[in-house]
Amino acid sequence: MQVRLKSFISCHPATAILLWLFFVVWMMDKPPLILLGMSGLLTLGANRQVINLFLRYLRRSRWLLLVLLLVHAYSLPGVPLMPQFAMYSPSIVGVQSGLLQMWRLVLVLALLAILMARLSRESLLLGLYSIMRYVCFWGCSAKRIATRIGLTLTYADALMNESHKISFQQRLRQLSQPTQAVPTSDMTLEQRPFIWLDYVSFCSMMVLFWWMP
């Protein structure tokens, strides 16, 4: 089976993945003003597909967001938010910090939704394969790893699509059962060279990191 790369974006898929990783790490310590600017830019770049993916990621991460808020609210000392509850009240500083971390995580989910909307599965595998070619120094096969990731994504999508039809216990039984092997030796990824836009993106990341560390 010849896997064709669909042209969802202009730059290389590996560049798109590296850009996502860069912004995930870069914005973790940025003030609210920078986060507000990123929120505005992400809103301008969103379409219906991105919004649907973002809402799906947000729904699946709702408990993580809640736990993140509670941990910050009750672990950081400060003035109680509700003085009448004394020691059982979350602190104002903790709530502010928790909301800020929730904001950052929501932006990460929004960036992920944009990435997944712009990349097909074949493009995502090509990007991961292109990156792993430069980091697999210990005898690991980049092509084999990319193939396994592709099979994992396919199986995970199938389970998620059936989530409204089966219970959680049935899903666990499916995961515990051995799955039928899928032949992957004939899977090939169409290579794609880096273009000028990729190098501009790399330079922009370095400039942004140097100008606003």
Side-chain angles (χ1 to χ4, degrees):
M1 179 180 64
Q2 182 75 17
V3 179
R4 293 292 180 182
L5 175 62
K6 297 180 181 180
S7 179
F8 283 99
I9 56 175
S10 299
C11 62
H12 196 281
T15 306
I17 297 174
L18 291 176
L19 282 171
W20 179 77
L21 292 174
F22 170 78
F23 280 107
V24 166
V25 176
W26 177 79
M27 69 180 179
M28 284 297 105
D29 59 346
K30 295 301 177 288
L33 186 60
I34 300 297
L35 301 181
L36 183 62
M38 289 193 62
S39 301
L41 292 176
L42 292 178
T43 303
L44 293 177
N47 53 26
R48 177 169 297 183
Q49 182 182 8
V50 172
I51 294 175
N52 291 336
L53 280 175
F54 172 68
L55 293 178
R56 185 190 307 174
Y57 296 155
L58 195 62
R59 184 174 62 252
R60 294 174 181 174
S61 306
R62 61 187 183 276
W63 293 113
L64 176 61
L65 293 170
L66 179 61
V67 170
L68 184 63
L69 175 61
L70 293 177
V71 168
H72 280 262
Y74 282 95
S75 62
L76 295 180
V79 179
L81 180 64
M82 297 174 288
Q84 63 272 24
F85 292 101
M87 62 179 299
Y88 298 103
S89 170
S91 65
I92 297 178
V93 175
V95 172
Q96 292 175 347
S97 177
L99 291 175
L100 191 61
Q101 294 301 326
M102 285 180 59
W103 192 0
R104 292 190 176 107
L105 183 55
V106 168
L107 288 178
V108 169
L109 296 177
L111 287 170
L112 180 61
I114 293 177
L115 177 69
M116 299 305 294
R118 296 297 187 270
L119 292 179
S120 65
R121 184 170 301 165
E122 292 79 18
S123 302
L124 180 63
L125 294 181
L126 176 59
L128 292 173
Y129 171 72
S130 302
I131 294 174
M132 287 185 293
R133 282 193 306 171
Y134 299 99
V135 297
C136 290
F137 300 112
W138 299 279
C140 301
S141 174
K143 185 176 181 179
R144 180 175 298 179
I145 295 175
T147 302
R148 289 183 180 273
I149 293 176
L151 295 177
T152 302
L153 292 175
T154 301
Y155 189 57
D157 284 346
L159 286 180
M160 289 301 177
N161 291 332
E162 295 177 356
S163 60
H164 62 286
K165 302 178 182 179
I166 62 177
S167 63
F168 182 73
Q169 290 77 9
Q170 291 174 331
R171 192 185 308 174
L172 289 179
R173 284 195 294 269
Q174 284 187 359
L175 290 174
S176 62
Q177 294 174 357
T179 57
Q180 184 178 1
V182 180
T184 59
S185 58
D186 57 345
M187 177 180 289
T188 58
L189 294 175
E190 182 180 351
Q191 297 299 319
R192 177 179 174 183
F194 288 100
I195 60 176
W196 63 269
L197 187 58
D198 300 304
Y199 298 106
V200 170
S201 300
F202 296 146
C203 294
S204 300
M205 284 188 285
M206 291 187 292
V207 170
L208 187 60
F209 181 77
W210 174 79
W211 178 58
M212 196 179 297

